[in-house]
Amino acid sequence: MSERILIVEDEPSLQETLVYSLKKEGYVTEAVGDGRSALESARRMKPDLIVLDIMLPEMDGFEVARILRREMTTSILMLTARDDEIDRVVGLEVGADDYLTKPFSMRELLARVKAQLRRTRLLREEMGQTGNTEPKHETLKFENLTVNLTRREVTLDNSPIQLKPKEYELLLFLAEHRGQMLSREFILERVWGWGYIGDSRTVDVHIRWLRQKIEKDPANPVRIVTVRGGGYRFEG
Ligand code: CA
């Protein structure tokens, strides 16, 4: 079955170009031009990926992402108007998976789209969600830290901790590779789906956020340790 992409872009010519290019690649697309319609379409269509502009009428892309993140795990590729660090960080905080700065080439967009969809497929396979809805293990336990895979819930000393969607995915990925040195690039590819082009600072930012939530002393981490010149290792 063709993968479905929801395009949210209010500029008619860019919207048209996006639809044309993605259809040509064989994707099923739907396009809307404002935030409210984006929510409606996403709920009805349940797309595999959402290409989401930030500056939109009615409700901006950040708000759309924030709301949708509570309802679905669909990948979100954000389009930002300027190469603005703030936009990028806010985008990642509200749960965007990747971002692209305007102007971009269609070739670049297609590469990002493919990387995201590939990541989603890998993740589904790893989670055993292909037809079989039961995850491989129900819970992962590391002393006082528990990850409940069925409920997507993380507890520390038996109290639930609030993780952003990407923090949860990152923790899960680290936990599943306990004791292994994971390079930033590898983490980026598997958790964000960037691989070839990604910005490894994104990994560092999320590791920092995670440490603040699961480490006793985030400045001297013992669960997620930094491997010099390499990446990170989850010790449990
Ligand atoms: Ca716009």
Side-chain angles (χ1 to χ4, degrees), residues 9-11 53-57 102:
E9 171 58 64
D10 59 322
E11 194 198 310
D53 187 29
I54 291 179
M55 297 301 286
L56 291 168
K102 292 178 182 178

Coordinates of all heavy atoms in Angstrom, one line a residue, residues 9-11 53-57 102, ligand 1:
E9 N 0.7 23.5 4.0 CA 1.4 24.7 3.5 C 0.4 25.7 3.0 O -0.4 25.3 2.2 CB 2.4 24.2 2.4 CG 3.1 25.3 1.7 CD 3.9 26.2 2.6 OE1 4.9 25.7 3.2 OE2 3.5 27.4 2.6
D10 N 0.5 26.9 3.4 CA -0.5 27.9 3.0 C -0.1 28.7 1.7 O -0.9 29.4 1.2 CB -0.8 28.9 4.1 CG 0.5 29.6 4.6 OD1 1.6 29.0 4.6 OD2 0.4 30.8 4.9
E11 N 1.2 28.5 1.3 CA 1.5 29.2 0.1 C 1.2 28.3 -1.1 O 1.7 27.3 -1.3 CB 3.1 29.5 0.1 CG 3.5 30.5 -0.9 CD 5.0 30.4 -1.1 OE1 5.8 30.4 -0.1 OE2 5.4 30.2 -2.3
D53 N 4.3 23.2 7.6 CA 4.9 24.5 7.6 C 4.7 25.1 9.0 O 3.7 24.8 9.7 CB 4.2 25.4 6.5 CG 4.8 26.7 6.4 OD1 6.0 26.9 6.6 OD2 4.1 27.7 6.0
I54 N 5.6 26.0 9.4 CA 5.4 26.6 10.8 C 4.4 27.8 10.7 O 3.5 27.9 11.5 CB 6.7 27.1 11.4 CG1 7.6 25.8 11.7 CG2 6.5 27.9 12.6 CD1 8.9 26.1 12.3
M55 N 4.7 28.8 9.8 CA 3.8 30.0 9.7 C 2.6 29.6 8.9 O 2.6 29.5 7.7 CB 4.6 31.1 9.0 CG 5.8 31.5 9.8 SD 5.5 32.1 11.4 CE 4.7 33.7 11.0
L56 N 1.5 29.5 9.6 CA 0.2 29.1 9.0 C -0.9 30.0 9.6 O -0.8 30.5 10.7 CB -0.2 27.7 9.4 CG 0.7 26.5 8.8 CD1 0.3 25.3 9.6 CD2 0.4 26.4 7.3
P57 N -2.0 30.2 8.8 CA -3.1 31.0 9.3 C -3.9 30.1 10.3 O -3.7 28.8 10.3 CB -4.0 31.3 8.1 CG -3.5 30.5 7.0 CD -2.1 29.9 7.4
K102 N 13.5 26.7 4.5 CA 13.2 27.3 3.2 C 14.2 28.3 2.8 O 14.7 29.0 3.7 CB 11.8 28.0 3.2 CG 10.6 27.1 3.4 CD 9.4 27.9 3.5 CE 8.2 27.1 3.8 NZ 6.9 27.9 3.9
Ligands
CA1 CA 3.6 29.6 5.6

